[in-house]
């Protein structure tokens, strides 16, 4: 056969757990065109095997607990999550032989339940009116009733969550960008991504400004992100870690998610839309004030995870 080979190095791995991380950084040329001298790179966490940024902390929380004996073969992993962490627990639980039980609000979409169940996960439903905080409270009650039966990773309080980003996401960004990176942008959910990645980036010899994204309103449609002022504040959160918090409106996140699909070929979820919306604002400011820069922004998951429940989500009913 004539012509140059298109083959790139292929990794051969022993288990799906070895496929987590090393996600690519892709330059956003169209949606960031308003800051032409600032490079904006999206870190594609959607490329993880479970399709999201939560693969890293879920796997790390399981592995660390197996290593120090908090999780043993007779225990069931239980946590509250209707979304990406649940998919990741289910996937890595299956791969590592750990039974998984998830508590999620009754009104989560059928595809959410189906993905978790496909990996053999057992689901318990909580009051839909109480949202994700209600699911957290229900898990705590179940674990308190039978503490020896369960391993409760509690992603909001577990140091392995930010550690996965300190050792993974942050290190990978520095390895790929070196001294070029001037800004980092990520959303606040459990806050693990922001805490862990920022701590690693702050160790770099050159200053990197780290900006956290949160929904502008308490009732919002940016799934995965928390409006901290009106939520249970995660114990792993340290308000001193981000240099700045940028509020983003639901509409702006949704519109940017549409633009990323149509202009960059990246179908992403709404929290990623919000992160990129904020990253473009940061890039425009760097353009005005410094005439250049390099912004890295986290793209958390894929857009197809949000197809089914679109209509009611758009009315922010949760
Ligand atoms: C879609 C999505 N975006 C953003 C986040 C926030 O990430 P973190 O929990 O690390 O703050 C999450 C995590 O829950 C998520 O599922």
């Amino acid at each position: 056969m004539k012509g140059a080979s298109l083959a790139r190095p292929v990794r051969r791995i022993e288990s799906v757990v070895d496929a987590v991380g090393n996600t690519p950084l892709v330059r956003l040329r169209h949606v960031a065109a308003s800051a032409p001298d600032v490079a904006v790179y999206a870190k594609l966490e959607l490329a993880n095997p479970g399709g999201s940024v939560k693969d890293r902390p879920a796997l790390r929380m399981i592995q660390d607990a197996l290593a120090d004996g908090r999780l043993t073969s007779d225990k069931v992993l239980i946590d509250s999550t209707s979304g990406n962490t649940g998919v990741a627990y289910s996937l890595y639980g299956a791969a590592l032989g750990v039974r998984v039980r998830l508590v999620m609000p009754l009104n989560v979409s059928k595809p959410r339940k189906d993905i978790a169940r496909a990996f053999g996960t057992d689901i318990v439903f909580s009051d839909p009116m109480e949202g994700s905080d209600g699911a957290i409270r229900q898990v705590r009650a179940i674990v308190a009733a039978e503490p020896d039966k369960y391993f409760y990773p509690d992603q909001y309080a577990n140091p392995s969550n930010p550690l996965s980003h300190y050792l993974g996401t942050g290190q990978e960004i520095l390895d790929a960008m070196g001294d070029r990176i001037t800004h980092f942008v990520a959303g606040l959910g459990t806050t693990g991504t922001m805490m862990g990645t920022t701590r690693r980036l702050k160790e770099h010899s050159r200053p990197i400004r780290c900006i956290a994204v949160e929904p502008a309103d308490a009732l919002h449609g940016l799934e995965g992100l928390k409006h901290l002022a009106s939520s249970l504040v995660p114990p792993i959160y340290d308000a001193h870690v981000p240099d700045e918090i940028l509020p983003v409106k639901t509409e702006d996140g949704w519109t940017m998610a549409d633009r990323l699909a149509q202009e960059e070929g990246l179908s992403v979820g709404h929290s990623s839309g919000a992160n990129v919306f904020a990253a473009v604002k940061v890039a425009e400011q760097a353009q005005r004030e410094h005439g250049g820069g390099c912004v890295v922004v986290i793209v958390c998951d894929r857009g197809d995870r949000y197809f089914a429940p679109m209509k009611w989500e758009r009315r922010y009913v949760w």
Side-chain angles (χ1 to χ4, degrees), residues 130-160:
E130 292 186 28
S132 58
D133 286 351
I136 295 172
R137 283 189 283 268
Q138 186 154 336
V139 167
R140 288 182 184 158
I142 292 171
V143 175
E146 286 181 283
D148 295 338
K149 182 171 171 184
Y150 293 105
F151 165 61
Y152 174 29
D154 189 3
Q155 55 168 336
Y156 295 91
N158 191 325
S160 300

Side-chain angles (χ1 to χ4, degrees), residues 58-301:
L59 176 60
R60 178 114 215 150
M61 287 188 286
I62 293 174
Q63 287 178 321
D64 287 354
L66 285 170
D68 65 18
R70 280 172 295 145
L71 177 56
T72 45
S73 57
D74 55 332
K75 289 194 175 175
V76 177
L77 184 158
I78 188 166
D79 212 332
S80 59
T81 165
S82 51
N84 290 321
T85 311
V87 175
Y89 283 142
S90 301
L91 192 166
Y92 300 109
L96 296 170
V98 173
R99 281 180 295 156
V100 177
R101 180 163 299 159
L102 299 178
V103 178
M104 50 179 82
L106 183 64
N107 59 343
V108 305
S109 67
K110 185 173 178 302
R112 299 298 173 92
K113 298 166 195 161
D114 290 345
I115 303 174
R117 282 185 179 135
F119 291 109
T121 287
D122 174 33
I123 304 178
V124 177
F125 293 109
S126 59
D127 186 338
M129 300 310 290
E130 292 186 28
S132 58
D133 286 351
I136 295 172
R137 283 189 283 268
Q138 186 154 336
V139 167
R140 288 182 184 158
I142 292 171
V143 175
E146 286 181 283
D148 295 338
K149 182 171 171 184
Y150 293 105
F151 165 61
Y152 174 29
D154 189 3
Q155 55 168 336
Y156 295 91
N158 191 325
S160 300
N161 172 359
L163 184 64
S164 71
H165 293 289
Y166 176 89
L167 297 173
T169 319
Q171 186 62 51
E172 291 167 26
I173 290 171
L174 290 177
D175 289 346
M177 307 307 293
D179 286 341
R180 261 190 97 186
I181 175 175
T182 56
H183 296 78
F184 170 68
V185 178
L188 297 175
T190 67
T191 76
T193 311
M194 189 68 204
M195 294 297 114
T197 309
T198 295
R199 285 196 181 108
R200 181 66 193 91
L201 297 181
K202 291 291 181 185
E203 289 171 357
H204 190 58
S205 52
R206 302 261 297 263
I208 300 167
R209 194 166 169 79
C210 297
I211 297 114
V213 174
E214 75 163 353
D217 305 299
L219 276 180
H220 65 88
L222 299 172
E223 188 171 340
L225 301 189
K226 256 185 189 291
H227 181 257
L228 287 183
S230 61
S231 314
L232 296 173
V233 176
I236 59 171
Y237 181 61
D238 177 351
H240 297 104
V241 169
D243 293 301
E244 184 184 338
I245 297 186
L246 256 178
V248 174
K249 292 198 189 89
T250 294
E251 286 76 10
D252 292 331
W254 280 66
T255 302
M256 184 55 86
D258 289 346
R259 288 189 61 195
L260 284 162
Q262 288 158 25
E263 298 175 37
E264 307 278 358
L266 292 170
S267 169
V268 306
H270 307 120
S271 70
S272 306
N275 287 356
V276 173
F277 178 86
V280 172
K281 292 282 163 227
V282 167
E284 288 169 350
Q285 190 178 354
Q287 174 82 46
R288 277 196 307 276
E289 293 176 5
H290 310 291
C294 175
V295 183
V296 171
V297 55
I298 298 290
V299 161
C300 313
D301 67 357

